[in-house]
Amino acid sequence: MPFDDLTRLDDDALLVLYANGDPSAARILTGRLAPIVQAHAWRLLRDRAEAEDVTQEALLRLWRIAPDWRQGEAKVTTWLYRVTANLATDRIRRRRGRTVDLDTIPEPEDDRPGVEDRMQDAARADALHRALQGLPERQRQAVVLRHIEGLANPDIAEIMEIGVEAVESLVARGKRGLAAALTGHREELGYQDDD
Amino acid sequence: MGLDAFFDAARRDTPALSTQALDRMTAQALAVQADLAAPAPVTRAARPSRLAQLLGAIGGWPAMATLATAGVAGLWIGAVPPAGLVNLAVSVGAVTGVAEDDAYLVDPLPGYTLSLDLSETQ
């Protein structure tokens, strides 16, 4: 099958082709899934090297189970979100006790237009990340999947292997925790005019 | 309540996966795929030795130890029978004053005695 036709196949079908030894399927799946996994890992870890490591490990696990993958039971991305979150959680647990002084991290030099906006985004994202780290693991995962990844509650329920109502509860409690943690940062992050 | 602005910032502040990292991951995918396609090496189980086969037939080393113990005990009792066993044998009539009448005696070569008798009569 030509490469262009393969790109129209869904992840499930491509994974079957991958297991059958089609190298085009390997390339298309990696190109399609790696950015999704890396973005999710980054949003949970906010560390580029760690996010890449997690992405590589999550994909490696996917390739290894490819021959046993049961089509139609779960979406490939659902499975990957779950594995990525578990790998990231392990790393967050290992990080506990070792603190990183953000002031010691050099700011990237960038004089392109819009750099100020990007720096403000980075500052807000950093503040959000620190607030997320203060939440219980399940609340953090639910909030990131719902409000940063933009997934629907039923999809999140499948990823977290819980009911939709439990997802709603975790997200609501997580957002309350975040609001409380970020209250003190809003002015310094340029939100004095909000509400 | 303003949280959405933080979420939007986090979404925008996500670095793209580098080309080098993507190439590395693609190479890994192809390498694993090649491994999956390679036939698994056929490993034939080594044929067990005769001793192992014997042990397997009788139930392993514990069974062999029990068998050896029983054999030695039988030999010992036969060579030096305990007094109690002899008295018991006499009391049940298994042992008499005449050796040929002893019930426990078994003639392993009755034909040999018979042939001797026949040769004497000729």
Side-chain angles (χ1 to χ4, degrees), chain A residues 18 22 42 46 48 121 147 191, chain B residues 5 11-13 16 29 33:
Chain A
Y18 173 87
D22 188 328
W42 159 262
R46 228 171 151 67
R48 195 167 191 147
D121 272 350
H147 289 288
Y191 287 111
Chain B
R11 211 173 298 122
R12 284 192 298 267
D13 187 50
Q33 192 178 45

Side-chain angles (χ1 to χ4, degrees), chain A residues 37-57:
Chain A
V37 176
Q38 187 266 352
H40 188 48
W42 159 262
R43 287 158 183 167
L44 291 169
L45 294 162
R46 228 171 151 67
D47 180 299
R48 195 167 191 147
E50 282 198 305
E52 282 188 9
D53 286 350
V54 164
T55 306
Q56 195 155 344
E57 176 64 26

Side-chain angles (χ1 to χ4, degrees), chain B residues 32-104:
Chain B
V32 175
Q33 192 178 45
D35 283 349
L36 293 175
V42 179
T43 53
R44 292 180 62 183
R47 187 186 172 86
S49 67
R50 290 196 183 283
L51 175 63
Q53 286 180 34
L54 175 67
L55 283 174
I58 66 169
W61 280 111
M64 176 64 97
T66 306
L67 195 61
T69 306
V72 170
L75 193 64
W76 180 257
I77 291 168
V80 188
L85 189 63
V86 175
N87 293 339
L88 179 67
V90 170
S91 67
V92 298
V95 179
T96 65
V98 183
E100 285 77 5
D101 295 339
D102 288 351
Y104 72 93

Side-chain angles (χ1 to χ4, degrees), chain A residues 99-153:
Chain A
T99 56
V100 177
D101 183 358
L102 291 175
D103 292 335
T104 63
I105 300 173
E107 291 292 337
E109 288 182 18
D110 194 343
D111 54 2
R112 286 175 294 169
V115 64
E116 226 173 88
D117 287 344
R118 284 203 297 279
M119 284 175 69
Q120 193 170 45
D121 272 350
R124 290 170 182 170
D126 275 339
L128 177 65
H129 181 71
R130 281 195 294 274
L132 281 167
Q133 298 311 301
L135 295 182
E137 284 168 16
R138 303 288 277 174
Q139 288 183 26
R140 178 172 61 237
Q141 189 185 0
V143 169
V144 169
L145 288 169
R146 181 75 189 89
H147 289 288
I148 304 180
E149 301 296 345
L151 299 183
N153 284 348

